[in-house]
Each structure stands twice: as structure tokens, then as C-alpha cells.
Amino acid sequence: MTAEQLLLSKSAEAVSALYGAEIPASSLQLTVTRKEFEGDYTLVVFPLLKISRTSPDATGTAIGEWLVANCSEVGGFNVVKGFLNILLSPAFWTSKLSSICEKGDNVQLPSTGKTIMVEFSSPNTNKPLHLGHVRNNLLGASVSEILRAAGNKVIKTTLVNDRGVHICKSMYAWQKRFNGATPESTGKKGDHLVGDCYVEYAKMEKENPSVIDDVHKMLVDWEAGDPEVRALWQKMNNWVFEGFDQTYKALGISFDKTYYEHDTYLLGKELVRKGLEMGVFVQDPDGSVWCDLTSDGLDRKIVQRSDGTSVYITQDLGTAERRFAENNLDSHVYVVGNEQDYHFQVLKLILAKLGFEWASRIYHLSYGMVELPNGKMKSREGTVVDADDLIEEMYAQAKATSEASGKLADLPEEERDTLYRQIGLGALKYFILKVDPKKTMLFDPAESIDFNGNTGPFIQYTHARICSILRKASEKGLVPSVPEGVVPSSKEVRIIKLLSLLPSKIQEAADGLSPAVLANYAYELAKDFNQYYHDTPVLKESDRNLLSMRLALISAVSDVLKSAMRLLGIELPERM
């Protein structure tokens, strides 16, 4: 039971005992006491005046006195203008610290019994992953881990968009202008080579707009199973898949299931056929199939072209049906940029019209774009920040910053190299995940690697600092523990309060699909620890019981930081 749950329950008992009124604990208003007042939690008394029929101060005093007399966890109270400020006893906080220490660094909330699928990444096989994909992947992976920690069964999945007009554009350019180039002959990763083809096609179409007709013919031939087109498609896709795998590995990204559009678009076409029979869709004279959503305040949406080929939403319809049927999902989260808000609005509406009751349980985690100091990225113009280059740049910056400090000179080269990658990736992931997903963000690699301020390296350094203290304590034979009778200071109580918030922060992050909740919680905890350590002796404390408690406290900080950051996909080194 949390401190809030305990006080709400006991306060409801107090109202019953004092005034003979049975009220649900959930109806009471309890907040964290503001810093300018003495107390841990504050009960708002005003809603109870119609029950007590006395003044706010008298009601608050009566409840406070009852709590002190009947609840051993309450150590005192004060009433300020109708607000009951409750102080929990030192014994409560030492007990809370012991409980936190027992949990270690792996907090798991009770099972909800729900199964949630999270789709993220879902790249096109016509270009390498770039900075926008990085935000998508980091959000998807972190949200998956947070939902799992919140007690859900989570299936991480991706849908590879490996067919369609955009894929044929790269294939067409390779045929016409790349003279049989391969990753081996060019020394390029396969996804980079195919990306070059996509950029080249944009130039070709600018020079001669009619080439789009050849591309559309290629798509029709692909759907008809033309052996030559299919062979080229398979070859170029394999190049891209190998490149993607390397990037995913570097970012620490994995999936439980992978779907491919070439397997799922036919499912959508079958739904289009059924939708026509149901009267959900209509076929125009040219053969194209549409869903008229004008009565719903939207417009007409094409679901199949006049030449019989499918569009994006076609395969999304079929894939959604298969996923809910195969996995008995309670909900499905799509991690996709906010430029697709309309697409998912339409998708849910069409699925509902097709009679799928689970359409209302589809959620679009709509995130803002990542912008650079010099503007937006454009794949077809080749002005993107490549994910592989970004990862290497973060490594290089982490290495330069760390070597400038001179603190790692005695570490073996292999350990230093691992540490630089941990710091670089930690900086990248934290900088992106600390921003609310809905917001557009500006990414600045130099700012993200700073060892001060609200950054990943600052939290990593804080953890390494704690590990250093604990190593020194161990060398002296000192063991973290929480002896009975130890009275924590107000600064220590503040840290214990912060530590105890982790489960509620996990739940808040899961409910809001926002890793930023945990990122900023970890920063607040790291910041408070550093201030506490600056003001309070730990290893120099002469009282052995107090020393043991302080070691337990900072060890708990280390565990909670690891728990929170692990859910962001960030490793915390033990030395920096």
C-alpha cells in the first residue's frame, strides 16, 4: 500500500468514527504538501464541512488528532486555512526505504491480464533509417517496455512496407542508372545503396515526369507476379533488410513479430471485396474503390486503385484484422508520426463500418517530427540525417568528451569503447525520449552529450558516482542496511518519497504512452541525489547505523535509476 492509499483509507475511517458518515476513500482529495508548508501530504478539508458541520480548522484538527491517535504511521499534523497537512512518522519512512531496497532494480506492477500489440519502426525498403525513424524506434521500444512493466503482455511488432510505388521507384532507378551496382561493388550498406536509388529517381522524374507511368506499370507487373520484377524486388529488399538489421542492433531494437506488406496487402484486398458486398465501399466507373466518409465529416477515401493495385490503407485494414484475430488483442498501439493523424482516423472509422468492434481499441501514438537546426529532412532530396551516421557521431562526441576529462585513461581500450557507446546512445535516447511524444522537437547532438543538466550522461554519471561510493564502502567492509530506530532527515525523507513514486510513474507513463514521464522523473531523482550528497556526509558519517542507512538510501537511488532508465532502453555504466 502506498502512503497515499494508506492516508486516504485512514482518513475515511476518521470521518466515519468522528461524524458517523461512510464515504469512499477515493472521494477524498489528497495532495503532496507544498514545499512552503510542513508536512508530507495534505488533505483538503472543505468538501467534508457538510458532514462535520464545523469550521474548516476544527474539522482538520479533529481528523488530524484522530489520525495521530489511531494510525501509527502518522507522526503529527498541522492545519492551515482548512488544509490538513499530515506528517508521516520517521518509522514509516525507514520502513518504506526497507521495502524499496527489497525490490531492487526491477519493478513490475501486478498483471492486468491484457494483451497489447505495439507497432513501431515500420520502415519502407527504399531508404535507410534516418533521425525520424530513430525517434519512432526509441518511442516504440520504450512504450513497449513501459506497458510490460505496467503488467501487460506486450507484443512488439513492425510492418515492413516492402512493396508499392515508392519501392518500384528505387527499383526503376537502379535498372536505368546504377549499372548493376551492389553493396559489395560499392562498399555501401545495402539500405544506403537503395536509398541512393530513391534519391536518383526523384531527379529522373524531375527531368522527365512520364517515368512515373513506367513505375506504375512495374507495380502492376509486380502484383501480377512477373518473375523478373519479383526477382529484382527480392534482391534489393534483401540488401535493405541486412542494412536495417545492423542499425537495429546498434540501437538495441528488437521485435517479437515482423509483418511484411507483400504478405498482408492481399488480406486488405479481400476486405475490400467484402466491403463492396456490404455496401461499405463503392466502385467508381473507372474501377477504383472508395469509402464515402463525407457523412462523418471527412471525405472520400480510396481503398483500391482503378488498376486493381492496393494503397497503404488497404493493407492496414487487412493487417489489423489478422492481428486481432491471431493474438486476441485487448488493444493495439500504432507508433506513427503526426502527419498520419488523418490516416488513422480514417482507418478506425472504416474498420468500425466493416463491423469490427475492436476498432475503438486502436490507438495512434501520434508523435511530432524531429527537426534540425537547419530545417526539416526530406528523403527524396537526400537531406536526411542518416541513423547510422548519427549513432557514430554520438559515439565520437562521447569519446571526445570522456577523454577530455582524463578519468578513464586506466581502463582497457575495449572497456572504454563499450563505455563511449553506452554514453553516446544514452545521450541520444534520453534527449529524444525526455520530450513529450506529441511535441515537435529540435535535436542537437552537442547539447545531448552534456554531462550537466537534463541529459542522459548526467544521469549516467550520477549512477556511476553512486557505484563508486558503494565500492569504497564495500572495501571498508560496510554494508547497506536500514537499522531500526534510525531517523531520516528531511532531505532523506524527500528522496525516499521520490523513490516510492516509481510504480506510480510507470503507471502514469503507461497510461499516457509517454516515456517522458520516466525520463524527467529519473532526472529529478538524480538531481536531488547530487544535492543531497553535496550537503550530507556518507562515508565520513561516524554513526554506523546512520551510515548504513545512508548507504541503503543511495543504493536504492541506484536501483530506481536503473529501473527507470532501463524502460527507456538506456544502460547505466558503473564507472565514468
Side-chain angles (χ1 to χ4, degrees), residues 8-9 12 23-29:
L8 286 170
S9 174
I23 61 171
S26 59
S27 69
L28 295 172
Q29 298 178 35

Side-chain angles (χ1 to χ4, degrees), residues 295-495:
S295 62
D296 299 285
L298 303 179
D299 57 13
R300 297 180 83 230
K301 176 67 178 178
I302 189 169
V303 293
Q304 188 168 289
R305 297 187 185 95
S306 58
D307 59 10
T309 58
S310 61
V311 292
Y312 263 131
I313 204 162
T314 317
Q315 58 91 9
D316 278 351
L317 292 167
T319 305
E321 181 188 27
R322 170 178 279 188
R323 287 173 176 174
F324 273 86
E326 288 181 347
N327 301 286
N328 193 25
L329 300 178
D330 290 284
S331 60
H332 189 313
V333 178
Y334 291 88
V335 183
V336 182
N338 57 15
E339 78 277 12
Q340 294 295 328
D341 285 352
Y342 182 77
H343 174 86
F344 284 97
Q345 187 180 1
V346 169
L347 177 66
K348 291 179 67 172
L349 191 53
I350 292 178
L351 287 168
K353 288 179 180 294
L354 288 169
F356 296 114
E357 58 82 22
W358 42 257
S360 62
R361 290 183 270 128
I362 284 176
Y363 301 94
H364 175 205
L365 175 49
S366 172
Y367 64 89
M369 295 295 97
V370 183
E371 295 182 356
L372 302 165
N374 59 352
K376 295 182 179 180
M377 302 180 293
K378 296 179 181 177
S379 298
R380 68 189 60 192
E381 295 179 13
T383 59
V384 302
V385 174
D386 179 80
D388 298 314
D389 292 342
L390 178 60
I391 292 168
E392 287 309 307
E393 180 183 350
M394 297 306 297
Y395 166 83
Q397 292 214 20
K399 180 178 181 180
T401 304
S402 299
E403 288 186 345
S405 72
K407 294 180 179 179
L408 303 175
D410 58 333
L411 277 184
E413 184 177 350
E414 186 175 338
E415 287 185 36
R416 290 202 305 271
D417 185 74
T418 298
L419 186 57
Y420 299 151
R421 294 208 174 273
Q422 287 177 333
I423 296 171
L425 279 175
L428 172 64
K429 292 179 178 183
Y430 186 85
F431 198 87
I432 285 177
L433 293 176
K434 74 176 182 179
V435 179
D436 185 291
K438 297 179 181 65
K439 295 181 179 178
T440 296
M441 65 170 294
L442 185 71
F443 181 73
D444 185 339
E447 184 181 343
S448 73
I449 210 77
D450 194 342
F451 280 71
N452 297 298
N454 191 2
T455 66
F458 170 73
I459 297 171
Q460 289 175 317
Y461 181 75
T462 298
H463 177 261
R465 190 179 198 181
I466 295 172
C467 289
S468 175
I469 298 167
L470 294 174
R471 279 196 301 269
K472 291 175 183 176
S474 178
E475 290 167 2
K476 295 180 179 181
L478 301 173
V479 179
S481 66
V482 187
E484 289 187 16
V486 174
V487 178
S489 68
S490 59
K491 292 177 181 178
E492 287 157 351
V493 166
R494 172 171 167 76
I495 291 180

Side-chain angles (χ1 to χ4, degrees), residues 74-297:
V74 175
F77 73 94
N78 62 81
V79 180
V80 180
K81 296 181 179 178
F83 293 90
L84 171 60
N85 300 320
I86 304 167
L87 290 86
L88 290 161
S89 67
F92 172 85
W93 292 117
T94 53
S95 173
K96 177 62 69 175
L97 177 58
S98 294
S99 175
I100 293 167
C101 290
E102 287 172 9
K103 291 177 182 176
D105 65 355
N106 190 16
V107 176
Q108 177 67 45
L109 303 190
S111 173
T112 64
K114 293 181 178 179
T115 300
I116 302 174
M117 179 171 279
V118 181
E119 180 195 295
F120 60 101
S121 195
S122 301
N124 298 332
T125 56
N126 64 337
K127 56 193 173 188
L129 303 179
H130 56 60
L131 177 55
H133 292 117
V134 170
R135 188 178 197 189
N136 181 298
N137 276 276
L138 298 184
L139 275 173
S142 182
V143 163
S144 298
E145 294 309 312
I146 290 168
L147 288 171
R148 185 174 286 125
N152 303 287
K153 177 185 176 183
V154 176
I155 303 171
K156 295 186 295 181
T157 189
T158 187
L159 171 65
V160 182
N161 299 300
D162 63 347
R163 60 159 296 284
V165 171
H166 51 297
I167 307 302
C168 290
K169 288 178 180 180
S170 292
M171 292 164 58
Y172 184 79
W174 185 86
Q175 279 184 327
K176 299 298 182 182
R177 294 197 174 177
F178 280 76
N179 301 314
T182 66
E184 291 75 21
S185 68
T186 60
K188 289 187 174 184
K189 279 181 72 200
D191 51 337
H192 288 239
L193 174 58
V194 174
D196 290 344
C197 296
Y198 186 61
V199 172
E200 185 62 29
Y201 173 81
K203 297 176 184 175
M204 294 171 68
E205 188 176 308
K206 205 169 186 179
E207 296 165 5
N208 179 14
S210 68
V211 297
I212 190 63
D213 296 330
D214 295 333
V215 169
H216 277 296
K217 181 180 182 306
M218 182 180 279
L219 177 60
V220 172
D221 290 344
W222 184 93
E223 291 207 9
D226 181 280
E228 185 178 338
V229 174
R230 284 288 181 122
L232 175 59
W233 166 80
Q234 188 71 62
K235 176 168 66 175
M236 293 182 70
N237 272 348
N238 285 341
W239 293 344
V240 175
F241 294 150
E242 290 175 7
F244 283 172
D245 286 345
Q246 293 177 44
T247 309
Y248 286 141
K249 184 177 180 181
L251 284 172
I253 301 296
S254 63
F255 304 98
D256 301 311
K257 288 191 175 183
T258 299
Y259 293 83
Y260 297 91
E261 189 180 346
H262 75 268
D263 286 330
T264 62
Y265 82 102
L266 291 176
L267 299 173
K269 292 180 82 168
E270 175 61 17
L271 274 184
V272 170
R273 185 189 67 76
K274 290 180 180 178
L276 279 168
E277 292 177 355
M278 295 167 63
V280 174
F281 303 141
V282 295
Q283 191 160 28
D284 279 7
D286 66 355
S288 59
V289 181
W290 298 75
C291 186
D292 189 349
L293 303 174
T294 52
S295 62
D296 299 285

